[in-house]
Amino acid sequence: MNIELVKAAKGAVIRVLRDDGSTAESFLPAKGPVPHDAVHYFVERELGCDNAFWGLVAAGHHPEAIADLAKASGHASAKRADIPAADFVAAIQVERIVEAFEADHWSGGSGDPAGIVAMARSGCEQSNVAPVDLGPAQVERIRRGIADFAAGWAELPQGGSMPLAWGSGI
């Protein structure tokens, strides 16, 4: 699947071209210095996770439908967490990890990797899912991916885009 993130005035436009030729487009409001779903990309790629946000989009779900899938699976947010459906656990785990990396990036991305792991672990526990083991090397690879993307994103003019590729063997 080809992903294109287009810089917009107050967020980003996500455009995808799936391997089967189908497409989807969605607007993502600005939440921080980089699009939230870009952080998802680097976390999911490092974890080899194909059943969280980008894997669900690749499987045919519209990006805006993922929140409804979370609600239908018994999990609307960490604040309203229930015991999630087994097939949605990985997506919730990834969301909590993404939140930890966003906090890290927003604060400069130079803290102890153990702090990111602890933050993600706490989020997973509050969301009634098992924490994912992240090693220091994984943390640094995700951080580097986010930082490199952020540097390019910051330089983009409005309307400029950054491509990402998603596929089997991620």
Side-chain angles (χ1 to χ4, degrees):
M1 175 173 72
N2 293 319
I3 303 164
E4 180 183 24
L5 295 170
V6 182
K7 195 170 195 177
K10 295 182 181 182
V13 174
I14 300 169
R15 294 183 182 137
V16 296
L17 173 60
R18 296 184 188 92
D19 295 344
D20 66 4
S22 64
T23 62
E25 186 172 311
S26 181
F27 178 75
L28 180 66
K31 180 179 172 182
V34 297
H36 175 77
D37 294 337
V39 179
H40 263 275
Y41 176 84
F42 294 104
V43 169
E44 292 175 38
R45 183 182 70 175
E46 177 61 33
L47 297 178
C49 184
D50 63 359
N51 53 354
F53 181 80
W54 287 114
L56 293 167
V57 171
H61 295 283
H62 193 279
E64 295 170 17
I66 307 301
D68 290 335
L69 288 175
K71 290 175 187 174
S73 296
H75 196 280
S77 71
K79 291 179 183 176
R80 296 184 308 272
D82 197 354
I83 302 299
D87 64 345
F88 208 75
V89 167
I92 296 166
Q93 291 168 319
V94 165
E95 190 65 34
R96 301 296 85 91
I97 295 167
V98 165
E99 292 165 350
F101 276 98
E102 283 180 324
D104 174 69
H105 181 72
W106 295 349
S107 66
S110 60
D112 180 7
I116 294 172
V117 172
M119 198 177 337
R121 177 175 296 279
S122 176
C124 285
E125 289 168 356
Q126 290 175 356
S127 296
N128 299 313
V129 296
V132 174
D133 290 325
L134 288 171
Q138 288 177 299
V139 169
E140 290 308 320
R141 285 191 295 270
I142 293 168
R143 268 184 167 162
R144 187 174 35 248
I146 294 167
D148 290 348
F149 179 90
W153 188 255
E155 296 296 320
L156 275 182
Q158 187 174 325
S161 67
M162 293 186 73
L164 300 170
W166 184 267
S168 59
I170 51 173

